[in-house]
Amino acid sequence: MTVRLYDSRAADVVDLVPLVDGQVSMYVCGPTVQSSPHVGHLRSALVYDIWRRWLTYRGYRVTLVRNVTDIDDKVLDLAAGTDEPWWARAYRVELEFSAGYAALGILPPTYEPRATASIPEMQDIIARLIERGHAYPAADESGDVYFDTGSWASYGDLTRQRREDMVDATDADPRGKRDARDFALWKGAKAGEPSTASWDSPWGAGRPGWHIECSAMSRRYLGPAFDIHGGGLDLRFPHHENELAQSTAAGDPFASYWLHNGLVSVGGQKMSKSLGNSVFAADLLGSAPAVVVRYALGAAHYRSTIDHSDGSLAEAEAALYRIAGFLDRAATRLEGVSLRDAPGVPDAFADAMDDDLAVPQALAVLHETVRAGNAALDTDDADALGTAYHQVAAMVEVLGIDPRASHWSGAGQDTSAAPLAALVERLVQERSDARAARDFATADRVRDDLAAAGITIEDTSSGTRWSIA
């Protein structure tokens, strides 16, 4: 068994070789809690939840750290001019993120630190960088401290860029920079900013830059070296590039592997406030059962861009109905029957998941196993049915989409999925049997009855598929 992953730094699929045998340490860039979460935030957190679940299934003890950036320019800007303090806004929005994650069945991280709780650790890294000649306080005594990108020959390695081709860093006032590409490690306090957003430091009162926060939190909770650093594709530059530069320049080995998940578009367009096409988490979760949303957001390969549409939710709902229907029918038939050795996931499923978390191929195995299980039900082959049932149960558990799980039975969840799927599957099989017997009148009647109930059926080379119209 070898788990392979696409390392963004190596630009290749490589074997996962943890620093400590049997353990995997992961740091994932969490949200900047400035405003309500959208579908992209949910997708990113879900990706690393599936990674964690699979690594755990493979026998690793996983330590997952996902941070909360609760102090940032945008947090302060959005709170300015309101009656809500910046820290209160940050906490309120953090709770919205937590609620969205919980609704999707995303497991809580091992540690979920807030940036404001690690200020001393950030200052320690900054001091080491100054001592090593890779950072400097602004000459104008503003209290700013910058990373000297020209002092670090490896700057640009993660994104394979030459420093001279990089755009200027816009994360801080350039008032004291030696070079426009240098980025802020510490930001001196400015007039008009709340005093609660300022901490004492050797360089004057101020607050941390964005990039130094993750370097400090990953080191505090995972140590100077850890296995996997994850985050959205949009964080590769400048955030992750800067994290890597400042941590390694300070003397830390930092992450062995870099994972980046793809983004979410809407109607073929990138989500943006200017286009007004952002899909917020609360709205998405209110439009369909949470397990359906989880299936839809997790069905594509994690590195691909997914395009959100109502159609994707309908497809996910139909797929889950088929799974739920099989599990319900099989459990009824197998009541009182037990296998001597209940199987885990099929080898083909494991091979797909080991290959850079190829969930689309893994789902194909899942649905093929459901089809085989339904065939075993129709022939009353208890042994084959028992194998299929336990394999399907293991696969949906690993993916976090078990439609029978108590997590999905909360308020607003649709509990009719299993019995509806069982009825539809039986009618679809009745139609297939009628067609095989050339009883087209019966086949047409079943099709029309399903259509009248809002069920669309499609005959394919791999069998008949159905969905809710």
Side-chain angles (χ1 to χ4, degrees), residues 10 20 69 71 73 93 103 128 179 208 220 222 257 261 290 292 303 313 324 351 362 366 380 395 401 408 410 417 453:
V20 179
T69 298
I71 181 67
D73 288 349
V93 174
R128 281 193 284 142
D179 187 282
R220 179 177 181 180
L222 296 176
Y257 308 96
N261 62 274
V292 171
R303 288 193 284 118
L313 291 176
D351 291 343
L366 169 60
D380 202 26
M395 288 185 279
I401 55 171
W408 309 120

Side-chain angles (χ1 to χ4, degrees), residues 82-103:
T82 71
D83 294 332
E84 187 177 32
W86 66 270
W87 48 266
R89 178 188 182 89
Y91 184 58
R92 172 173 59 79
V93 174
E94 179 186 335
L95 292 178
E96 291 185 42
F97 275 87
S98 297
Y101 297 155

